[in-house]
Amino acid sequence: MGLLEGKRILVAGVTMDSSIGFAVAKVAQEQGAEVLISNFGRALSITRRIAKRLPVEPVVLELDVTDQTHLDGLADQVREHVDSLDGVVHSIAFGNPETLLGGKFLDGPWDDVAQALQVSAYSLKSLTMAAKPLMAPGSSVVGLTFDATVSWPAYDWMGVAKAGLESTSRYLARYLGPEGIRVNLVSAGPLRTIAAKAIPGFSDLEDLWTTRSPLGWDNTDQEPTAKAVCALLSDFFPATTGEIVHVDGGFHATGA
């Protein structure tokens, strides 16, 4: 029996098969979960194509977490396929690389910063509340972050957005805990996803992990991160919420 046997999981924000969200969907299926995935706009057609590469082709939902109409209709859309959700994965982030990343922190315009904060941080609350009518005590929400306790070269306003995401997860844990819903994050080391490739200077971050990760770090392997997400979705962390689990080869625990 798999770790997620019988559970229904929504993985929001799956685009390419190189994404963490795709890896989460794959591992969750391998562990017995029934998985739904989502995307929106022009990326939706890509998501529908890559969905066929999963062990079981999942239902693909259209969901823009910045569109209140989509959020309001999420529960009904999910109920067309399953009657409830046991877990939700937030694999969503965006910051305009031309104005907010790669050393552009001091010049980042508010409109683009506001978009990054809404998509990358506020949407954790938006998605969770949209899915909440489907979730019973024991359900789990898991988001993905990149350590926001320090500044990083090139990451700039996305680092600020991730700090907002981390704080949002703690407040969700506070307010949803009494209803038995857990909210946690997984902080992964740098991975070569489409999103990462869009960050000017991201290779500088990758280089840091080469020499400082006690366990080593493979920036092309999303599976360790996906396994951590699935563990938090499972029943093996019944009393853990508001936590950030690092999957970074131990980099976060080392000094210079």
Side-chain angles (χ1 to χ4, degrees), residues 2-5 7 9 28 31 33 86-87 138-142 182 184 227-240:
L3 197 63
L4 298 176
E5 195 70 37
K7 292 190 179 295
I9 307 295
Q31 292 300 316
D86 301 288
S139 298
S140 175
V141 177
V142 184
R182 295 171 286 126
N184 295 286
K227 286 181 173 179
V229 171
C230 288
L232 287 169
L233 289 170
S234 78
D235 295 330
F236 273 69
F237 285 86
T240 299

Side-chain angles (χ1 to χ4, degrees), residues 18-140:
S18 61
S19 70
I20 300 173
F22 183 91
V24 170
K26 180 176 181 292
V27 173
Q29 286 187 342
E30 291 170 348
Q31 292 300 316
E34 182 174 358
V35 174
L36 299 82
I37 64 176
S38 76
N39 214 320
F40 75 100
R42 289 179 293 179
L44 187 60
S45 61
I46 299 173
T47 300
R48 286 181 172 138
R49 287 199 300 272
I50 67 102
K52 302 178 188 299
R53 301 175 190 173
L54 287 164
V56 177
E57 184 175 351
V59 169
V60 179
L61 306 178
E62 183 174 14
L63 175 63
D64 177 356
V65 292
T66 68
D67 186 327
Q68 193 59 47
T69 301
H70 282 210
L71 293 165
D72 291 343
L74 177 62
D76 288 339
Q77 192 179 180
V78 169
R79 286 192 185 103
E80 294 177 7
H81 308 283
V82 296
D83 58 7
S84 64
L85 289 174
D86 301 288
V88 174
V89 179
H90 180 277
S91 182
I92 301 168
F94 177 76
N96 187 341
E98 296 181 2
T99 61
L100 300 182
L101 305 170
K104 302 180 178 71
F105 182 84
L106 298 178
D107 300 316
W110 168 244
D111 286 348
D112 287 355
V113 170
Q115 180 188 38
L117 292 173
Q118 181 180 14
V119 175
S120 308
Y122 183 80
S123 66
L124 178 64
K125 191 279 293 187
S126 302
L127 174 63
T128 300
M129 295 309 293
K132 184 172 173 289
L134 300 161
M135 302 174 77
S139 298
S140 175

Side-chain angles (χ1 to χ4, degrees), residues 165-246:
L165 175 73
E166 293 176 9
S167 184
T168 298
S169 72
R170 288 188 286 268
Y171 279 97
L172 283 171
R174 171 183 287 271
Y175 287 109
L176 297 182
E179 299 183 52
I181 298 174
R182 295 171 286 126
V183 184
N184 295 286
L185 298 179
V186 171
S187 180
L191 292 166
R192 288 191 180 176
T193 63
I194 293 296
K197 290 177 181 178
I199 302 174
F202 193 77
S203 60
D204 293 340
L205 289 178
E206 294 179 320
D207 292 343
L208 293 173
W209 261 254
T210 302
T211 57
R212 284 181 49 192
S213 298
L215 291 175
W217 183 249
D218 183 350
N219 59 20
T220 65
D221 186 7
Q222 287 84 13
E223 187 172 74
T225 303
K227 286 181 173 179
V229 171
C230 288
L232 287 169
L233 289 170
S234 78
D235 295 330
F236 273 69
F237 285 86
T240 299
T241 195
E243 184 60 89
I244 300 176
V245 176
H246 289 82

